[in-house]
Amino acid sequence: MSPFFIHKGLEGLAGSPKLVKKQRLGDILVETSSSQHSKLLLLSKALGDIPIEVTPHSTLNTSRGVIVERDLRAVPESEILAGLTSQGVTAVRRIFTRKDGILEPTNVLILTFTVPCPPTIIKAEYLNCKVQPYISNPVQCFHCHQFRHSKQSCHCSMTCARSGGKDHNATEC
């Protein structure tokens, strides 16, 4: 299909998009400038006379945040999720620590929100919880020790974690 036809069709459906990109597998990623534009696109079934399927992006339309709250330590994750669903929370995961071989719950909770940016404060009934952005641990390869890929997809030569030398590992060093 012509990119000009797609662009004109998108403008006709929901106004001018903020960003349009073609993905590797051929899908078209459309970033809108308002929630109203998003709603109009989600209701669309055809682009001109060509049927289309519009779905929200699974990761770009969500965000994660961290709260630290002592009073929620003994509360099960399912109960916290039920209480925070009305504020856009879709998942709750508690962080655990290992002490003497035993996993113990902490005061730290990772919340997944239905919006691209997490709120700054969330209310757990009478508790005002400050939400900090969640920053995940980076992926590191244990074959070459570079970041952004894992050992399973590594195409580099083996690097020693101890000396940084090539073509041997730390047990041989």
Side-chain angles (χ1 to χ4, degrees):
M1 289 179 65
S2 165
F4 304 107
F5 173 79
I6 293 172
H7 189 75
K8 285 179 184 177
L10 288 172
E11 284 182 338
L13 290 174
S16 184
K18 185 175 181 181
L19 175 74
V20 180
K21 285 173 46 176
K22 184 174 181 180
Q23 301 295 292
R24 249 187 293 162
L25 298 175
D27 294 341
I28 305 290
L29 176 68
V30 180
E31 183 179 348
T32 59
S33 55
S34 72
S35 61
Q36 183 65 26
H37 287 168
S38 298
K39 290 176 186 174
L40 288 171
L41 281 177
L42 288 171
L43 295 173
S44 302
K45 301 293 181 209
L47 189 64
D49 57 349
I50 300 167
I52 60 170
E53 181 183 345
V54 181
T55 57
H57 195 277
S58 59
T59 57
L60 293 177
N61 292 318
T62 61
S63 60
R64 291 195 285 180
V66 177
I67 62 170
V68 180
E69 185 56 59
R70 182 180 311 154
D71 293 336
L72 295 176
R73 185 178 198 150
V75 181
E77 294 172 19
S78 57
E79 186 177 339
I80 296 169
L81 177 60
L84 299 179
T85 301
S86 64
Q87 297 176 67
V89 176
T90 59
V92 176
R93 186 171 60 105
R94 185 179 305 279
I95 299 294
F96 289 85
T97 60
R98 188 177 302 275
K99 290 186 181 177
D100 300 322
I102 300 170
L103 284 177
E104 293 186 15
T106 65
N107 304 334
V108 182
L109 296 162
I110 300 172
L111 308 177
T112 303
F113 296 93
T114 59
V115 292
C117 296
T120 55
I121 293 178
I122 195 164
K123 288 187 66 75
E125 298 306 332
Y126 59 87
L127 299 173
N128 288 323
C129 305
K130 182 179 178 185
V131 180
Q132 299 171 341
Y134 173 76
I135 301 170
S136 63
N137 291 331
V139 176
Q140 184 177 12
C141 176
F142 292 109
H143 182 73
C144 69
H145 300 284
Q146 294 180 7
F147 291 96
R148 297 187 182 159
H149 69 273
S150 62
K151 185 177 180 178
Q152 290 83 6
S153 61
C154 185
H155 301 293
C156 302
S157 61
M158 185 186 317
T159 304
C160 176
R162 182 174 290 161
S163 68
K166 297 286 184 192
D167 298 323
H168 70 276
N169 61 26
T171 56
E172 299 167 353
C173 190

